[in-house]
Amino acid sequence: GRTSQMRIGSPWLAAEDLEGLGDVKVTIKRITHHRKAVFQNGKEQEVYAIEFEGAYKRMVLNTTNRKMIKEMYGPNVSEWKGKELCLYHDKNVRYMGEISGGIRVRLR
């Protein structure tokens, strides 16, 4: 199995979930606001996330991906529903100054 399966019960999509899969086509179901989202490190954060049609896991909407989706579909978030994206693993994404890999979005 994949190492991502070891993240039992996590509702959050991680770069590890997409490693080696290439472009994964998804459809936006809705954008949700989480005031006290709990992540693997146990810390609570306020985040926005994207839920996808037919998917259990949702993706935290970071600044880079939010700006990319805004460029593709405009600034009105309510108009993003039903739009398609491709998610992919980008091994060059930096987090806190370290190259850790991450999720990126693009049109197909």
Side-chain angles (χ1 to χ4, degrees), residues 59-88:
M59 182 181 83
V60 172
L61 192 54
N62 65 24
T63 301
T64 302
N65 289 333
R66 184 186 73 240
K67 288 179 179 179
M68 181 64 79
I69 297 169
K70 177 185 166 195
E71 288 297 312
M72 292 186 279
Y73 297 124
N76 189 340
V77 176
S78 64
E79 293 178 5
W80 296 359
K81 181 180 178 178
K83 303 290 192 214
E84 292 183 346
L85 299 172
C86 285
L87 308 180
Y88 66 98

Side-chain angles (χ1 to χ4, degrees), residues 2-5 7 13-24 87-92 100-104:
R2 298 176 55 82
T3 57
S4 62
Q5 292 172 325
R7 297 175 55 249
L13 189 64
E16 188 177 25
D17 295 320
L18 300 175
E19 252 180 315
L21 299 180
D23 284 0
V24 176
L87 308 180
Y88 66 98
H89 176 261
D90 181 348
K91 66 181 180 178
N92 297 311
S100 61
I103 300 170
R104 290 293 183 243

